[in-house]
């Protein structure tokens, strides 16, 4: 018995192929996410009925899934869904589907793959020292650095072309590195490596997905976690690209391998501070000839490497009146800096929360235990770990109390007018602070003075621009 044939609208053969590709994609995603579990039986008739396509198209779709290892086709039996270990895990579609339905586990696997092959590829590339590879690697490294420093990089619209160019050059850099190994298997793996690079950028880059700006996620700082992509590429990552490229150019296999390892460690929380990684980087730097860099980049490279081994991260206090966006900016900033985030309101004793909920403003006495608790959290923040914490810090004396615990604290004052603050607080949900107390906060407010370490920025600007300007100022001060 045969299933029903479906009459398709008039169209080209390319259109039919496109329809088949969509069916393959939908079925593939269903299998990857478990909607069609292992040993599930797929018949041509079932595919025809589910997707409303012709039998030849259904057979072609199942044949394509068979080639990818997701199903096993057998005469008279049809297609049977296979277990994960049978899938072609390096197939571009399979990788894309897994990134779609289980991005964290797939990114972890892809990153572990990169950690195995890229340092080794760097060593082999330095040993072969192909003139063409050296030219392309060093050119890509210089371009990445230039693009990352462009003032418009983090702007949602003005920076779109710059970010796209950066993405393309980054992919070209890593493809070139694998090609330089002269190992045909490494070259074969360049596609999954580039997919890992691009997925992390496409998913996380500020200004690309507006939801990332409106509801930023808390930074993940667990050991060895694959970090989200920052608002602007970390300068140390750009300098590690530079070191890797020029180590290959200089034929320094050990140094090239160390820079590649450091580059991959940078995307993992905490791993760049691993003693083993640092020891290998030091060994590589001992061999590295800084004079082999273009003269315009020598000082920057040396400063970046010195900062890497002597880095101290000052805690950042995001301050301002209620409604200025401290939590939104603070979480987004912590995510971009890859440091822990703390919500200052969580340190209030219960009586303070009850007072504010009852429309009673706080004073110096009632704020004292709250400020002491925040100071305590700042005190225990590691010099290399960093911290972003929110605190209204309205008066200078409050900021001085926090500086006693961490003299290196940097304050970011988000400013806006009282009408805007009133409007924002009035429209907030699930927060104990009523709009009636906004006026009292403006009465207490003492803006940052010239001798205080910090910066003032307009709170009505887009969050990604605020974070980019903060990062620029922090980098300048470092």
């Amino acid at each position: 018995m045969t299933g029903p044939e479906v009459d398709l609208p008039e169209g080209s053969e390319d259109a039919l192929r496109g329809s088949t590709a969509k069916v393959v994609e939908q079925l593939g995603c269903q299998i990857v996410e478990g909607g069609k579990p292992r040993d599930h039986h797929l018949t041509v008739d079932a595919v025809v009925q589910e997707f409303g396509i012709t039998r030849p198209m259904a057979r072609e779709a199942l044949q394509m899934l068979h080639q990818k290892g997701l199903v096993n086709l057998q005469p008279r039996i049809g297609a049977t869904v296979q277990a994960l270990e049978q899938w072609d895990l390096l197939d571009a579609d399979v990788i894309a589907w897994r990134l779609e339905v289980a991005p964290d586990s797939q990114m972890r696997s892809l990153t572990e793959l990169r950690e195995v092959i890229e340092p080794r590829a760097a060593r082999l590339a330095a040993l072969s020292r192909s003139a063409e590879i050296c030219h392309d690697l060093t050119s890509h490294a210089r371009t990445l650095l230039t693009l990352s420093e462009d003032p418009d990089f983090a702007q949602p619209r003005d920076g779109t072309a710059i970010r796209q160019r950066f993405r393309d050059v980054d992919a070209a850099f890593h493809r070139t590195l694998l090609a330089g190994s002269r190992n045909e298997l490494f070259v074969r793996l360049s596609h999954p490596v580039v997919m890992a690079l691009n997925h992390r950028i496409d998913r996380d880059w500020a200004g690309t997905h507006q939801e990332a700006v409106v509801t930023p996620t808390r930074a993940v700082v667990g050991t060895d976690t694959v970090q989200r992509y920052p608002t602007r590429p970390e300068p140390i990552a750009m300098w590690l690209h530079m070191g890797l490229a020029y180590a290959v150019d200089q034929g320094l296999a050990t140094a090239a391998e160390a820079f590649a390892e450091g580059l991959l460690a940078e995307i993992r929380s905490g791993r760049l501070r691993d003693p083993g990684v640092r020891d290998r980087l030091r060994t590589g730097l001992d061999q590295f000839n800084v004079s082999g860099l273009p003269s315009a980049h020598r000082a920057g490279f040396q400063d970046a490497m010195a900062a890497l081994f002597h880095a101290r991260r000052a805690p950042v206090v995001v301050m301002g009146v209620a409604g200025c966006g401290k939590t939104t900016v603070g979480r987004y900033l912590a995510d971009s800096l890859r440091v822990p985030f703390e919500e200052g309101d969580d340190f209030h004793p219960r009586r303070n929360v009850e007072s504010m909920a009852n429309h009673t403003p706080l004073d110096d006495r009632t704020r004292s235990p709250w400020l002491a608790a925040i100071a305590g959290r700042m005190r225990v923040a590691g010099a290399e770990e960093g911290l972003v914490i929110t605190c209204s810090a309205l008066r200078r004396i409050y900021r001085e109390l926090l500086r006693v615990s961490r003299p290196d604290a940097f304050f970011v004052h988000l400013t806006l007018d009282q009408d805007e603050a009133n409007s924002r607080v009035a429209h907030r949900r699930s927060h104990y602070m009523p709009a009636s107390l906004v006026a009292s906060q403006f009465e207490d407010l003492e803006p940052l003075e010239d001798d205080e370490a910090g910066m003032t920025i307009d709170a009505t600007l887009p969050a990604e621009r605020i974070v980019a300007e903060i990062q620029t100022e922090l980098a300048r001060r470092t």
Side-chain angles (χ1 to χ4, degrees):
M1 181 176 178
T2 61
E5 290 286 349
V6 176
D7 293 328
L8 294 175
E10 292 186 8
S12 67
E13 188 175 337
D14 288 341
L16 289 174
R17 289 198 194 97
S19 298
T20 304
K22 290 179 181 178
V23 172
V24 171
E25 180 180 3
Q26 292 181 52
L27 277 172
C29 283
Q30 289 177 17
I31 292 171
V32 169
E33 70 182 358
K36 289 191 169 29
R38 177 180 178 177
D39 296 331
H40 178 80
H41 194 56
L42 280 172
T43 65
V44 170
D45 289 345
V47 174
V48 167
Q49 184 174 5
E50 181 175 354
F51 296 98
I53 57 176
T54 64
R55 290 177 61 78
M57 291 171 69
R59 283 194 291 269
E60 182 181 359
L62 291 175
Q63 181 63 41
M64 293 173 69
L65 291 172
H66 172 74
Q67 294 170 356
K68 298 176 187 297
L70 271 68
V71 303
N72 182 35
L73 277 177
Q74 293 179 289
R76 301 191 188 91
I77 297 177
T80 305
V81 175
Q82 296 290 90
L84 181 144
E85 56 265 23
Q86 302 299 322
W87 301 350
D88 182 356
L89 296 174
L90 295 179
D91 180 90
D93 288 334
V94 175
I95 292 173
W97 297 334
R98 294 186 71 198
L99 286 171
E100 179 66 27
V101 303
D104 289 343
S105 63
Q106 177 67 123
M107 275 299 295
R108 183 175 63 250
S109 297
L110 289 172
T111 301
E112 289 169 352
L113 175 68
R114 291 182 61 197
E115 289 167 343
V116 170
I117 66 171
E118 288 196 62
R120 185 63 181 175
R123 168 174 282 276
L124 294 173
L127 291 173
S128 67
R129 205 179 180 186
S130 157
E132 182 179 4
I133 293 296
C134 292
H135 171 273
D136 290 348
L137 271 181
T138 54
S139 175
H140 293 329
R142 294 193 305 271
T143 302
L144 286 173
L145 179 64
T146 300
L147 291 171
S148 73
E149 293 175 341
D150 191 292
D152 290 333
F153 190 100
Q155 300 302 316
R157 294 183 181 178
D158 295 343
T160 300
I162 300 167
R163 291 193 300 273
Q164 184 60 52
R165 172 71 174 147
F166 180 94
R167 178 184 184 272
D168 293 343
V169 175
D170 192 32
F173 179 96
H174 290 273
R175 280 196 300 266
T176 302
L177 178 65
L178 294 176
S181 72
R182 298 187 180 276
N183 181 302
E184 71 281 3
L185 294 180
F186 285 0
V187 175
R188 173 69 176 81
L189 293 170
S190 61
H191 190 70
V193 167
V194 170
M195 289 190 74
L197 291 168
N198 290 347
H199 175 77
R200 185 164 169 260
I201 288 174
D202 294 342
R203 179 189 65 179
D204 298 334
W205 229 336
T208 300
H209 304 294
Q210 288 301 312
E211 64 268 19
V213 175
V214 177
T215 56
T217 58
R218 182 182 293 263
V220 180
V221 293
T223 303
D224 281 351
T225 301
V226 177
Q227 292 293 302
R228 298 179 65 85
Y229 210 98
T231 303
R232 179 186 291 276
E234 291 287 345
I236 186 59
M238 300 302 94
W239 290 113
L240 288 170
H241 277 85
M242 189 78 72
L244 170 53
Y246 280 90
V248 171
D249 183 58
Q250 294 172 24
L252 302 174
T254 299
E257 190 171 27
F259 281 120
E261 183 185 9
L263 190 56
L264 287 158
E266 190 274 331
I267 72 174
R268 294 239 196 209
S269 176
R271 187 172 289 186
L272 198 51
R273 298 193 294 272
D274 179 88
V277 173
R278 290 194 169 211
D279 285 346
R280 288 185 285 277
L281 272 173
R282 285 191 182 95
T283 300
L285 284 168
D286 288 342
Q287 301 173 356
F288 190 77
N289 179 15
V290 177
S291 298
L293 293 169
S295 57
H297 298 314
R298 292 170 193 167
F301 178 83
Q302 289 176 309
D303 289 346
M305 293 302 108
L308 174 62
F309 291 105
H310 304 91
R312 289 184 60 85
R313 289 188 165 189
V316 179
V317 181
V318 182
M319 60 168 284
V321 299
C324 69
K326 294 187 291 294
T327 299
T328 298
V329 170
R331 283 182 174 163
Y332 191 6
L333 177 63
D335 194 26
S336 195
L337 293 176
R338 302 173 185 171
V339 302
F341 170 76
E342 295 284 1
E343 170 57 71
D345 285 346
D346 294 342
F347 292 83
H348 273 297
R350 174 175 289 185
R351 61 180 177 274
N352 283 10
V353 174
E354 293 173 348
S355 294
M356 288 184 281
N358 291 325
H359 304 266
T360 302
L362 301 181
D363 54 22
D364 291 353
R365 180 183 59 81
T366 50
R367 286 188 178 118
S368 179
W370 171 60
L371 291 167
I374 291 178
R377 176 62 183 91
M378 292 170 61
R379 187 179 300 111
V380 299
E384 293 185 352
E385 176 190 33
L387 174 70
V388 172
I389 191 166
T390 63
C391 175
S392 55
L394 299 174
R395 299 183 58 198
R396 174 159 182 154
I397 186 61
Y398 301 162
R399 299 190 289 273
E400 294 295 345
L401 288 172
L402 298 180
R403 287 195 184 96
V404 169
S405 65
R406 285 297 296 267
D408 58 339
F410 184 83
F411 289 80
V412 177
H413 183 190
L414 303 178
T415 64
L416 75 174
D417 62 41
Q418 190 167 332
D419 289 341
E420 176 67 17
N422 274 320
S423 175
R424 290 186 179 190
V425 173
H427 288 89
R428 286 198 306 199
R429 297 179 180 178
S430 304
H431 197 283
Y432 52 77
M433 178 75 175
S436 62
L437 295 185
V438 170
S440 68
Q441 294 220 322
F442 275 89
E443 291 172 4
D444 288 342
L445 178 62
E446 297 174 359
L448 287 172
E449 298 181 24
D450 292 342
D451 62 336
E452 293 187 86
M455 64 184 293
T456 299
I457 190 166
D458 183 356
T460 64
L461 293 172
E464 72 275 8
R465 180 175 171 186
I466 293 174
V467 169
E469 292 196 16
I470 296 170
Q471 283 190 270
T472 300
E473 179 61 19
L474 289 173
R476 187 187 70 79
R477 288 172 176 266
T478 301

